[in-house]
Each structure stands twice: as structure tokens, then as C-alpha cells.
Amino acid sequence: MILFPAIDLKDGACVRLKLGDMAEATVYNPDPGAQAKAFQDQGFEWLHVVDLNGAFAGETVNGAAVEAILQATTNPVQLGGGIRTLSDIESWLAKGLARVILGTVAVRDPALVKEACRLFPGKVAVGIDAKGGKVAVEGWAEASELGVIELAQRFEGAGVAAIIYTDIDRDGILAGINWAGTLALADAVAIPVIASGGLASMEDIHRLAAPEMAKLEGAISGRALYDGRIDPAEALAVLNRARGRAA
């Protein structure tokens, strides 16, 4: 069970949005590289990064900030937001990313995702962001008619490293993970699932450590870490104990 601290980038700074609204951004650190180093020093093993401007623009916008993060940490980094072409994927992986997250393009061009998985095995994750149970695209600005499980199952057997499932209705408001929806997705596909959106408290961390959650690869935390609602050392200790039991 991996706890992924999140760095969401808007205009070069680390922010958190409320319900995916770019107008509702709280700046937590103007120095993304320093924030990445801080998370590593706290004991986290991975880093989850999203280029929010890029997700809306359809191309990388906060590239300099991402490169600063890669220079500041030795932890593996996964990046989403505005990555829409094979050349984008190849370029970012060459710069040291552990994996790219493909969201909008997974809906618009699933063949590209499958080709990316073939070309870059183990390096491609699919981001599924849902509102009211339906997949949203273009930085959450547009809704599709696709269901979460329907989209995920399109990529079974393609070599997708992980599915990152975000419930937009819970993101950034500390409402708790959509446990039922996340576990239903994990039961429906063989691809590892990472929970995102709403992780709010140490109570949620203890729930993540429960045996039935072992089917998940992990969960992403943003606002609760920045606000001090989740203590990094305690959270990692809880999850490491759970990992030991599972082993």
C-alpha cells in the first residue's frame, strides 16, 4: 500500500483545488522542488504530480516546475496533465519520470494508450476522473457518457501499470475516499488501482490499512497532508505495518 503525496501545479506553484475548480485554488508552496524534497525527507516513496494548467490546455504548461521536481527528488515521480501524444510521453520519460498518466487521451484515443503501453512497458498509467459516476475529460471541464468501469475494462491486458481513480465530487474537500466506487473498480479489473480524491484523515489511513484494501496499489493525498490532518510519519508507519501483514 503506497501513500502518494500530491503536488498539483498551477502557474508554477503547488496548489490544491476545491472540486476541480481552477478558480478555487489554494497555494501551499511556491517552490515545487522544495515541496518534492520535503515529501522525500518525510519518508514518502513516490510522488504524484499533476500539471493543472496543462490538463486544460492539452499540452504541458508547468514543464519547468516538473523538471525542478525531478531534480529535487530521487523518488519515482508520476505525472499527469496535458500529456496527449507519444512524443510527449517519450520526452517526459527521457527526462526521468517513472510513469506518465494519460487521462483525456484514454477516452479520446485509446489506441494511443495501448501503443504507449507497448512502447514503454510499465511506464503508463491511466487516469480516470469521474463526476456522478461518469468519466470527465479536459481537466474535468467536460463530461463524457462513459462509465468508470467501462473505460477501465477497455485497457485490460494492454499493459497499463495502474489506474488512478479520482472522484471529483470529493476532491479537495476532505470528504473521504469513495471507498465503494474504488473497490468496485478494483474488483472489476486486474489492473492495479490507486484511490484519489477526498483522503481526509488518519481514520482514512487506518481504513486503507484494512485487509480488504490490499487489492489497491495505494492512495493519493493532497490537502490533508498540507493542512496537517494526516501526520506523514504516523500514516507511513500504519501502512508499513499493513504491508508487513500482507507479506
Side-chain angles (χ1 to χ4, degrees):
M1 179 66 65
I2 301 168
L3 186 60
F4 296 78
I7 293 181
D8 288 354
L9 297 169
K10 179 176 183 282
D11 304 333
C14 304
V15 307
R16 293 302 294 169
L17 302 186
K18 183 178 179 180
L19 300 173
D21 186 349
M22 287 287 272
E24 293 279 346
T26 301
V27 176
Y28 280 99
N29 194 330
D31 186 338
Q35 187 61 59
K37 180 66 163 57
F39 281 140
Q40 178 175 312
D41 291 345
Q42 288 168 346
F44 292 101
E45 301 173 9
W46 267 84
L47 186 59
H48 174 79
V49 180
V50 178
D51 181 348
L52 294 171
N53 301 102
F56 283 92
E59 60 185 11
T60 297
V61 175
N62 287 289
V66 177
E67 291 185 27
I69 288 168
L70 290 172
Q71 291 171 3
T73 181
T74 57
N75 279 350
V77 177
Q78 59 184 23
L79 171 68
I83 302 173
R84 307 282 170 86
T85 68
L86 289 173
S87 62
D88 288 343
I89 295 166
E90 183 175 21
S91 175
W92 274 120
L93 293 176
K95 290 177 180 178
L97 278 183
R99 61 189 177 199
V100 297
I101 305 164
L102 305 180
T104 295
V105 74
V107 176
R108 306 279 198 233
D109 190 357
L112 184 146
V113 176
K114 293 175 181 179
E115 177 67 2
C117 291
R118 186 186 69 79
L119 292 171
F120 311 107
K123 301 287 189 180
V124 177
V126 168
I128 299 181
D129 306 327
K131 191 173 181 65
K134 297 296 185 181
V135 177
V137 295
E138 305 294 347
W140 301 353
E142 296 180 21
S144 75
E145 292 303 311
L146 271 177
V148 171
I149 290 174
E150 179 187 356
L151 177 60
Q153 289 178 335
R154 291 183 178 182
F155 298 104
E156 281 281 60
V160 171
I163 289 174
I164 297 159
Y165 171 52
T166 303
D167 186 330
I168 299 169
D169 294 319
R170 293 169 181 259
D171 190 71
I173 61 170
L174 303 168
I177 293 284
N178 178 351
W179 302 107
T182 302
L183 290 175
L185 175 59
D187 284 335
V189 294
I191 305 166
V193 172
I194 299 170
S196 175
L199 196 71
S201 64
M202 286 305 301
E203 182 180 346
D204 287 338
I205 295 295
H206 283 282
R207 186 159 184 184
L208 271 176
E212 66 267 23
M213 298 295 169
K215 66 185 70 176
L216 301 179
E217 178 173 294
I220 293 166
S221 181
R223 186 177 292 271
L225 279 175
Y226 290 103
D227 286 349
R229 296 167 187 265
I230 291 176
D231 176 77
E234 184 183 351
L236 291 171
V238 167
L239 295 176
N240 284 334
R241 285 196 296 270
R243 187 186 299 178
R245 288 195 302 269

